[in-house]
């Protein structure tokens, strides 16, 4: 459902996120965490591999790091989770609401069609050899730049300085 959302998704971690909580965050477009939040993948302690969540977690933090997190089952703090790429921004508990409001304002500017396209392209390109992903990505970018709606927005910006999120095209 997260990958089909027509709007950007914001994940907020306030305390402990483990297993399924980590995958929900990994699937979000932007993750905000309180400085005291912790993150972990403890499934293997219980004797099973976190296979169902693996694609989203590895897409977010990389296969090597995800494997280490799963094999060690350590709880990681917000700073380590940010360094790993799971968390995008850390806020003190008393500033979390302000940081969340700012993130919502920024995410609301993103074009809905571009969101869907980026999500599908991210999954598709990850499975391709690098050279093929670059070639297909260049072709996708060329198609997007030829789109009348995109051209109108760019022209409006370059000619009038109009920004799409401020009432421009």
């Amino acid at each position: 459902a997260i990958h089909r959302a027509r709007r950007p998704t914001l994940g907020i971690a306030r305390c402990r996120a483990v297993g399924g909580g980590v995958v929900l965050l990994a699937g979000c477009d932007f993750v905000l965490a309180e400085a005291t939040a912790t993150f972990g993948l403890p499934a293997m302690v219980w004797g099973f591999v976190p296979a169902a969540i693996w694609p989203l977690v590895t897409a977010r933090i990389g296969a090597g790091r995800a494997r280490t997190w799963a094999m060690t089952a350590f709880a990681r703090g917000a700073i380590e989770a940010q360094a790993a790429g799971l968390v995008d921004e850390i806020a003190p508990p008393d500033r979390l609401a302000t940081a969340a409001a700012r993130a919502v304002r920024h995410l609301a500017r993103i074009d809905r069609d571009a969101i869907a396209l980026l999500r599908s392209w991210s999954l598709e390109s990850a499975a391709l050899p690098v050279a093929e992903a670059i070639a297909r990505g260049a072709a996708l970018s060329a198609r997007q730049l030829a789109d009348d709606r995109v051209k109108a927005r760019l022209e409006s910006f370059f000619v009038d300085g109009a920004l799409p999120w401020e009432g421009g095209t």
Side-chain angles (χ1 to χ4, degrees):
I2 289 173
H3 278 278
R4 289 188 304 272
R6 296 269 301 146
R7 296 176 187 256
T9 53
L10 170 63
I12 299 176
R14 299 192 69 192
C15 52
R16 185 178 345 172
V18 295
V22 168
V23 75
L24 286 173
L25 295 170
C28 289
D29 299 306
F30 189 84
V31 176
L32 176 62
E34 277 190 2
T36 56
T38 60
F39 308 84
L41 296 174
M44 291 182 63
V45 170
W46 304 106
F48 63 96
V49 174
I53 68 171
W54 203 249
L56 288 174
V57 174
T58 58
R60 184 77 182 200
I61 69 172
R65 183 161 285 149
R67 187 174 51 256
T68 300
W69 281 33
M71 294 289 258
T72 60
F74 298 153
R76 267 79 178 172
I79 292 172
E80 187 175 351
Q82 184 177 38
L86 178 63
V87 170
D88 298 301
E89 184 179 335
I90 299 171
D94 63 330
R95 308 266 318 162
L96 188 67
T98 301
R102 183 180 62 250
V104 167
R105 278 193 312 277
H106 287 283
L107 292 170
R109 302 181 313 178
I110 306 303
D111 179 78
R112 291 180 184 174
D113 293 333
I115 293 166
L117 187 57
L118 179 62
R119 287 190 182 127
S120 66
W121 176 243
S122 295
L123 294 174
E124 180 185 338
S125 65
L128 298 173
V130 173
E132 187 176 348
I134 291 170
R136 286 192 193 184
L140 176 60
S141 293
R143 284 193 306 276
Q144 287 292 288
L145 289 170
D147 179 271
D148 288 339
R149 208 169 45 94
V150 173
K151 288 192 313 192
R153 286 180 175 177
L154 289 170
E155 182 179 333
S156 181
F157 172 71
F158 288 119
V159 172
D160 304 321
L163 300 170
W165 60 89
E166 293 177 345
T169 306

